[in-house]
């Protein structure tokens, strides 16, 4: 399986163009994640075998078995857990890496540093987070990042 980067950006910038140029030069597959895809599993987005697209998560309209109130509240009456609305927004860039060797990961991070590309929220696809939605992984790494920088004066 080829090295893949799942990349989310709220809107294209000079930095995102620079990042994509680096990835292309390194021969790394780029999967741009749209706001409509953030409720898909990381495994499906990364192309991990056994993970399929969640059609309900991709739909912007409520399914027939939900009432309008259920759709508005973000809950599914058939499940105990709340659903994340398809209208969620991620206000910052996120980079999720899949199938990288340690050497290639180091080379990518060095290339990003040299090009002054700064993306605070980065993660590696793992067996554990493969079944999470992209949004759930974003929330996890955002919270970890906040905890790490709570006492950072910069």
């Amino acid at each position: 399986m080829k090295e893949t980067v799942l990349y989310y950006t709220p809107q294209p910038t000079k930095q995102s163009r620079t990042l994509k140029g680096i990835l292309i030069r390194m021969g790394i597959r780029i999967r741009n994640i749209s706001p409509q895809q953030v409720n898909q599993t990381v495994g499906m987005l990364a192309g991990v075998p056994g993970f399929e697209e969640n059609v309900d998560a991709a739909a912007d309209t409520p399914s027939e078995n939900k009432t309008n109130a259920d759709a508005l509240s973000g809950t599914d009456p058939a499940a105990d857990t709340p659903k994340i609305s398809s209208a969620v927004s991620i206000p910052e860039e996120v980079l999720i890496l899949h199938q990288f060797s340690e050497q290639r990961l180091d080379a990518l991070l060095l290339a990003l540093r040299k090009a002054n590309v700064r993306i605070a929220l980065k993660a590696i696809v793992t067996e554990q987070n493969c079944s999470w939605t992209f949004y759930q992984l974003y929330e996890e790494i955002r919270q970890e990042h906040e905890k790490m920088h709570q006492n950072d004066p910069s």
Side-chain angles (χ1 to χ4, degrees):
M1 192 177 266
K2 186 175 178 165
E3 298 162 330
T4 303
V5 165
L6 305 179
Y7 178 58
Y8 178 90
T9 185
Q11 59 188 80
T13 62
K14 182 180 178 188
Q15 174 170 282
S16 63
R17 289 188 296 278
T18 302
L19 166 71
K20 289 179 180 184
I22 291 168
L23 296 173
I24 290 168
R25 281 192 298 282
M26 292 182 71
I28 298 167
R29 181 176 154 224
I30 306 164
R31 176 87 193 261
N32 294 304
I33 307 302
S34 70
Q36 294 76 26
Q37 294 174 303
V38 299
N39 290 324
Q40 297 294 334
T41 65
V42 171
M44 189 286 293
L45 294 169
V48 176
F51 288 89
E52 296 180 11
E53 183 175 7
N54 179 348
V55 181
D56 288 337
D60 285 335
T61 57
S63 63
E64 290 178 10
N65 66 349
K66 292 182 185 178
T67 65
N68 286 337
D70 292 329
L72 292 174
S73 71
T75 59
D76 182 347
D80 291 334
T81 57
K83 299 281 185 192
I84 298 169
S85 163
S86 61
V88 296
S89 71
I90 298 175
E92 52 207 318
E93 291 177 296
V94 181
L95 202 62
I96 309 296
L97 310 164
H98 182 55
Q99 291 296 103
F100 279 77
S101 68
E102 192 172 331
Q103 293 82 8
R104 288 285 286 175
L105 177 61
D106 289 344
L108 174 59
L109 295 176
L110 179 61
L112 295 176
R113 234 181 334 242
K114 283 183 176 179
N116 205 28
V117 173
R118 305 277 187 246
I119 298 175
L121 303 181
K122 295 183 281 293
I124 301 279
V125 175
T126 66
E127 195 173 307
Q128 179 184 1
N129 67 26
C130 237
S131 60
W132 297 0
T133 66
F134 188 88
Y135 187 82
Q136 287 170 321
L137 182 54
Y138 155 72
E139 279 293 324
E140 180 69 21
I141 57 180
R142 182 189 60 76
Q143 290 170 9
E144 286 177 8
H145 184 75
E146 283 178 7
K147 286 179 187 172
M148 286 188 332
H149 293 89
Q150 274 179 339
N151 299 322
D152 187 5
S154 59

